[in-house]
Amino acid sequence: GPIQNSFQLVEELIFKNLCHSQTHCGVCQNCDLLKHHEHPDVLVIKPHQLGHPIKIEQIREINHFCQQSSHSLGYKFIIMLSI
């Protein structure tokens, strides 16, 4: 659906910005971490329950994430889902 397509577009943009060759090579360390949803410069936030707002703990997590140095290339990304 549209949400999945939007998420895929966001993921592709993140891959291209964090890939060492800026092409989504699929073989560099950053691409490997992204492929397994383990990259330390990407934070995904979504409500704990469908139709509910995010919780204050999640806001604190975002704040902490933003205060940390990036793992590589200086970019950090937060994906907020409303599902």
Side-chain angles (χ1 to χ4, degrees):
I3 292 175
Q4 183 63 28
N5 290 341
S6 296
F7 188 73
Q8 288 174 339
L9 174 63
V10 168
E11 279 190 320
E12 186 63 30
L13 291 171
I14 291 171
F15 265 101
K16 287 186 177 186
N17 279 284
L18 291 178
C19 175
H20 289 293
S21 66
Q22 296 182 333
T23 62
H24 186 177
C25 70
V27 295
C28 70
Q29 180 185 19
N30 281 342
C31 282
D32 189 54
L33 289 168
L34 288 165
K35 183 172 34 181
H36 293 98
H37 304 282
E38 297 175 352
H39 200 287
D41 290 338
V42 179
L43 176 64
V44 178
I45 297 291
K46 60 184 174 182
H48 291 298
Q49 292 181 324
L50 180 64
H52 286 78
I54 61 173
K55 304 230 179 243
I56 190 68
E57 301 88 41
Q58 293 171 293
I59 300 295
R60 289 183 182 120
E61 183 180 3
I62 292 168
N63 188 34
H64 179 74
F65 176 78
C66 290
Q67 292 175 6
Q68 303 303 309
S69 298
S70 76
H71 174 72
S72 63
L73 303 177
Y75 298 109
K76 295 179 77 155
F77 297 90
I78 299 170
I79 303 171
M80 295 187 72
L81 303 174
S82 61
I83 56 172

